[in-house]
Amino acid sequence: MMVRSASVVLNRLRATWFGSVLAVAWLAFLTLVPWVRHCIGIAAVKGGQGGIFCSWTPALTNPTGLGLFLLLVFVAIIVTAPLVFPSRPVLLLVGLGSAAIVVALIVISLDFDRYLALSRLGLNLTNEARSVFLVLLPVSVVWIVTGFRRRGRVRRVASG
């Protein structure tokens, strides 16, 4: 029984071009993988230690509270919906919806007042975080293309 369900999930992942796996990898890269370098220069007092000290952090630094919850719900929906309902309308809805949300978040975060509001929610969208949000757009395109591709495959099977 377990092998059969794993086979079904793998077939659905293949049918959707592994878009759900890409979305989970995107979330991990955004919140867990330290790739942004932050350096601080400290002037030394006489006899003290000084210099440039650097650290590495994830793109989304310290996601907390409601913002983190909404981000996790967003990713959970775009990951599970194509796997549970692999139909053309769902794939197109997830692709277009996720692309619209990502573009809206990037545009909203460019305004300073709205950026502060997002920061108060727990989403500090720095320039690096915006760059990682742009990486989700190709994942959205995968679902959109898959949705159109599934339609073409259904037509070919029906006409053949």
Side-chain angles (χ1 to χ4, degrees), residues 99-144:
I101 289 172
V102 166
V103 169
L105 272 174
I106 291 171
V107 170
I108 286 171
S109 69
L110 292 175
D111 179 45
F112 186 71
D113 292 330
R114 292 181 181 149
Y115 168 78
L116 288 177
L118 285 174
S119 293
R120 280 186 226 114
L121 285 176
L123 293 178
N124 186 13
L125 293 182
T126 61
N127 288 333
E128 293 87 3
R130 285 187 202 111
S131 300
V132 176
F133 265 84
L134 286 175
V135 173
L136 189 59
L137 290 178
V139 177
S140 301
V141 170
V142 164
W143 283 314
I144 293 168

Side-chain angles (χ1 to χ4, degrees), residues 17 19 31 35 37 40 72-73 75 81 84 110 152 158:
W17 290 1
T31 58
W35 67 277
R37 186 174 178 190
I40 300 170
L72 292 175
V73 167
V75 172
V84 175
L110 292 175

